[in-house]
């Protein structure tokens, strides 16, 4: 099988490929989308519909303007009230602090280095009237040079300043004492992430694209002067080739002319300048996949060209665009046009209201039927001066021409159109706070709140599209640009604290969490819920040990953020940053005295305990002694009794012996007696 031969592309071929895709892309010329945008902008500016006749009322209903501005105000209030809608999710328990630092710094880049509010306002406005709003996110390499005045420096001090990067001598002189005074030129690197809203007519995309990621061709078309291109770093000789061969299709773009129709003519958009360097040219920055080297592998290229001149080409990682589509259509990049859905309603309301006004004008200034020859001076009737006199020759000379009454269904139709506008746009008079019938004695605050919340369902869906499909990629892309391009460690103020950060050591990618509340009183509900939890944890004895100062700091910080207070550090101090409190000398002396008193009390208690123990031992010994003594006494008494019994028995024995002896003696005497 024969292998396919791949060939490299030269500059002319690359420009030809870009031009082919440009002419096929949506938005390059007067396409259906472009014509729709022009018409919507005219309705938004109340230029359409025009009166049918010159004498009719010129009133124009503001349905498109009111719906667009109401939706824009609701979204901007939701995402720009100080709440952190976007947060990086920690990967694990050890990553919580780093995720917070990354979130704070990315928020710093979006809001302080750039004006995210202005960008969101432009993107939301474009999305509501032009189907899609586009923001461009890129890294801008730039420098800032200032003149710094120094005075009275020694040679060592001057050498130390000149040793710093970007410091050069502008004009320095030495006095008689050898000290240096003068000006130094200081050049600082101010490169940063740039976020810009892209005008709808400047953004081009290939037909039938489903998303930014899958689109085979995307381009950004702008007007720049020759001087701007040279300042951007392009070679002056290369730029000079496009000076007399420049594409002029973008000079008279109908969308641009429509946008500036109220403030000026189209001459400002074909500015050629009085000098060559001030002449404007059309510059196209295209993103497409190419095999420029002929290796058989395609890469995503960024190609910058003006007319038929290639200014730059480079391989890039991503397309620097984020898109917001309020009413997306599955499998299509361009969704429905929010404002275009209201054009018919604005036309109908305008016509009906004009009919009411015209009828009122005719009723107040009716037409007359005049009998021929009955007016002395016809000019007197034409002059509608109050109290003016009209001379007539007969009573029936002038009569009012019959005027049909106004159809009562006109007002019912206008009311029906109001309801259709609410159903189509998703913005009700109740949610805007303009329905006076909603608040009455029988309607409770909770019922009004529920009705307003239900009427905001369409707004919530659009807000979620904005958060998930625009802000989340914008947040992630900004973080990635910071990690890829910021290589130096810096100290920045985050949440009121000065933190040392080194984005070069951060993870390349982080998961973004979306958190926001939209609705009537949702923020107040969240605040009250957090306050209730704080009071519960603080008052519950079982939870007090678990509710540490760190937990309280986070809880109170969330309460302030939910209340719309972004600078939490102005009101609360992180417990981890609070140094250990040194004791007051008087308190320390009091503590020492209390310690001595405690030691004395402990000693007294110990002595009392020893005394009680000794008395108990003495009582025990006395008891034992008494017991022993009683036992001895009992033994002695028992021995005495035994002795007495023995003595008694002995005595009895002696007595018996004596008796026996006595008896024997008597017997002897009796025998010996003569009378015996």
């Amino acid at each position: 099988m024969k292998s396919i031969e791949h060939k490299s592309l030269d500059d002319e071929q690359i420009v030809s490929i870009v031009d082919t895709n440009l002419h096929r892309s949506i938005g390059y010329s007067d396409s259906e989308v472009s014509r729709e945008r022009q018409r919507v902008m005219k309705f938004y500016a109340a230029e359409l519909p025009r009166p049918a006749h010159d004498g009719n009322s010129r009133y124009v209903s503001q349905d498109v303007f009111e719906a667009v501005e109401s939706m824009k105000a609701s979204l901007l209030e939701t995402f720009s009230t100080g709440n952190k809608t976007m947060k990086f999710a920690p990967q694990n328990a050890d990553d919580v602090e780093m995720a917070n630092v990354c979130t704070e710094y990315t928020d710093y880049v979006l809001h302080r280095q750039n004006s995210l509010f202005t960008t969101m306002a432009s993107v939301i406005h474009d999305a509501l009237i032009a189907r899609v709003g586009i923001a461009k996110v890129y890294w801008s390499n730039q420098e800032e040079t200032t003149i710094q005045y120094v005075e009275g420096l020694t040679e060592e001090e001057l050498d130390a300043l000149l040793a710093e990067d970007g410091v050069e001598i502008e004009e320095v002189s030495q006095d008689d004492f050898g000290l240096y005074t003068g000006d130094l030129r200081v050049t600082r690197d101010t490169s940063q992430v740039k976020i810009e809203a892209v005008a709808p007519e400047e953004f081009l995309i290939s037909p039938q694209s489903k998303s930014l990621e899958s689109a085979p061709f995307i381009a950004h078309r702008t007007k720049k002067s020759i001087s701007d291109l040279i300042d951007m770093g392009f070679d002056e000789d290369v730029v000079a080739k496009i000076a007399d061969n420049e594409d002029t299709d973008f000079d008279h773009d109908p969308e641009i002319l429509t946008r500036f129709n109220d403030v000026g003519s189209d001459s400002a958009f074909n500015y050629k300048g009085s000098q060559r360097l001030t002449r404007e040219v059309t510059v196209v920055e295209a993103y497409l996949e190419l095999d420029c080297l002929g290796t058989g592998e395609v890469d995503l290229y960024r190609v910058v060209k003006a007319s038929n001149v290639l200014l730059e080409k480079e391989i890039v990682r991503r397309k620097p665009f984020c898109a917001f589509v309020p009413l997306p259509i599955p499998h299509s990049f361009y969704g429905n046009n929010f404002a275009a859905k209201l054009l018919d309603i604005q036309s109908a309301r305008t016509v009906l209201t004009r009919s009411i006004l015209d009828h009122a004008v005719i009723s107040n200034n009716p037409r007359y039927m005049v009998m021929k020859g009955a007016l002395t001076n016809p000019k007197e009737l034409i002059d509608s001066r109050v109290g003016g006199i009209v001379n007539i020759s007969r009573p029936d000379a002038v009569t009012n021409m019959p005027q049909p009454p106004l159809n009562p269904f006109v007002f019912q139709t206008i009311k029906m159109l109001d309801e259709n506008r609410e159903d189509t746009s998703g913005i009700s008079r109740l949610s805007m706070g303009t329905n006076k019938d909603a608040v009455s004695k029988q309607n409770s605050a909770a019922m009004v709140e529920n009705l307003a919340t239900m009427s905001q369902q369409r707004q919530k869906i659009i807000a979620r599209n904005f958060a998930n499909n625009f802000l989340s990629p914008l947040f992630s892309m900004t973080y990635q640009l910071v990690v890829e391009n910021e290589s130096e460690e810096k100290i920045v103020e985050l949440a009121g604290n000065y933190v040392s950060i080194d984005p070069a050591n951060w993870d390349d990618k982080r998961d973004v969490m979306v958190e926001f509340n939209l609705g009537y009183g949702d923020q107040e509900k969240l605040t009250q819920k957090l306050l209730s939890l704080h009071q519960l944890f603080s008052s519950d004895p079982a939870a007090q040990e678990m509710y540490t100062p760190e937990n309280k700091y986070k809880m109170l910080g969330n309460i302030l953020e939910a209340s719309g207070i972004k600078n939490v550090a102005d009101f609360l101090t992180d417990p981890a940053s609070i140094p250990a409190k040194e004791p007051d000398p008087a308190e320390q002396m009091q503590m020492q005295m209390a310690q001595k008193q405690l030691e004395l009390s402990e000693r007294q208690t110990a002595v009392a305990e020893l005394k009680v123990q000794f008395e108990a031992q003495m009582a025990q010994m006395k008891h034992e002694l008494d017991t022993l003594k009683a036992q001895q006494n009992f033994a002695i008494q028992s021995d005495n009794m035994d002795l007495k019994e023995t003595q008694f028995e002995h005595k009895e024995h002696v007595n018996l012996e004596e008796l026996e002896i006595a008896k024997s003696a008597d017997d002897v005497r009796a025998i010996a007696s003569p009378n015996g």
Side-chain angles (χ1 to χ4, degrees), residues 121-383:
S122 300
V123 168
I124 292 173
H125 182 86
D126 292 339
L128 294 175
I129 68 173
R131 292 181 178 242
V132 62
I134 302 293
K136 186 177 181 181
V137 189
Y138 62 97
W139 181 262
S140 175
N141 293 309
Q142 55 192 24
E143 294 180 343
E144 180 181 357
T145 302
T146 58
I147 301 300
Q148 180 179 348
Y149 178 75
V150 294
E151 182 179 7
L153 297 181
T154 63
E155 185 175 357
E156 291 77 8
E157 293 173 339
L158 181 61
D159 292 340
L161 289 177
L162 295 177
E164 298 180 6
D165 294 336
V167 180
E168 299 177 354
I169 294 178
E170 176 72 14
E171 184 178 356
V172 175
S173 60
Q174 187 177 16
D175 58 17
D176 298 337
F177 299 98
L179 300 178
Y180 294 90
T181 301
D183 295 328
L184 300 179
R185 184 189 302 111
V186 181
T187 302
R188 301 298 184 192
D189 183 10
T190 58
S191 301
Q192 65 175 54
V193 177
K194 286 283 189 179
I195 304 174
E196 299 174 352
V198 179
E201 70 277 359
E202 294 180 358
F203 181 77
L204 310 174
I205 189 170
S206 55
Q208 298 182 358
S209 296
K210 296 181 180 180
S211 63
L212 287 175
E213 293 76 14
S214 62
F217 177 82
I218 293 177
H220 181 204
R221 177 177 54 173
T222 56
K223 299 288 292 184
K224 294 187 181 297
S225 67
I226 300 297
S227 176
D228 292 335
L229 295 176
I230 296 175
D231 292 340
M232 292 170 62
F234 297 117
D235 185 79
E236 187 171 356
D237 295 333
V238 176
V239 173
K241 297 179 182 179
I242 63 174
D244 297 325
N245 187 19
E246 187 258 331
D247 182 14
T248 59
D249 291 343
F250 196 43
D251 287 339
H252 297 280
D253 188 277
E255 290 188 54
I256 300 178
L257 300 180
T258 302
R259 183 181 300 119
F260 291 94
N261 188 39
D262 291 339
V263 294
S265 63
D266 61 348
S267 60
F269 300 99
N270 193 20
Y271 177 68
K272 299 301 180 183
S274 58
Q275 296 179 335
R276 183 183 66 86
L277 292 178
T278 59
R279 184 181 182 188
E280 290 184 337
V281 297
T282 302
V283 179
V284 175
E285 179 183 347
Y287 293 83
L288 69 166
E289 292 184 343
L290 295 172
D291 180 16
C292 294
L293 302 178
T295 60
E297 297 181 358
V298 295
D299 296 300
L300 179 62
Y301 274 83
R302 170 180 175 267
V303 179
V304 182
K305 73 108 183 174
S307 186
N308 61 344
V309 178
L310 180 65
L311 298 176
E312 184 180 11
K313 70 175 186 295
E314 62 175 339
I315 298 177
V316 294
R317 297 185 179 182
R318 67 186 69 87
K319 302 165 187 174
F321 300 103
C322 296
F324 168 46
V325 182
L327 303 176
I329 299 176
H331 319 299
S332 175
F333 173 72
Y334 282 98
N336 284 314
N337 193 315
F338 175 85
K341 299 296 182 182
L342 301 168
L343 300 188
D344 293 338
I345 295 176
Q346 178 165 323
S347 298
R349 280 177 51 88
T350 299
V351 172
L352 292 175
T353 307
R354 284 175 179 172
S355 67
I356 297 174
L357 296 175
D358 290 341
H359 187 276
V361 171
I362 294 175
S363 298
N364 294 330
N365 298 276
R367 299 180 67 185
Y368 298 98
M369 295 187 298
V370 181
M371 185 173 294
K372 186 176 181 180
L375 288 178
T376 304
N377 185 3
K379 291 184 178 180
E380 295 176 347
L381 183 63
I382 297 175
D383 184 9

Side-chain angles (χ1 to χ4, degrees), residues 592-620:
Q592 291 178 355
M593 294 179 62
Q595 183 67 24
K596 295 294 184 182
Q597 186 69 27
L598 179 61
E599 292 177 358
L600 179 60
S601 177
E602 290 177 351
R603 290 180 181 178
Q604 291 176 350
T605 303
V607 171
E609 290 178 353
L610 290 175
K611 183 178 179 181
V612 171
Q613 185 178 0
F614 178 74
E615 291 178 351
Q617 291 178 354
M618 292 294 295
Q620 180 67 23

Side-chain angles (χ1 to χ4, degrees), residues 84 104 108 112 492-499 553 566-574 577:
K84 290 183 176 61
E104 291 288 347
Y108 167 85
R112 297 178 63 176
V492 295
E493 182 184 359
L494 300 178
N497 300 319
Y498 288 94
V499 181
Y553 172 75
K566 189 174 182 180
N567 50 336
V568 177
D570 292 346
F571 304 94
L572 298 174
T573 302
D574 190 348
S577 62

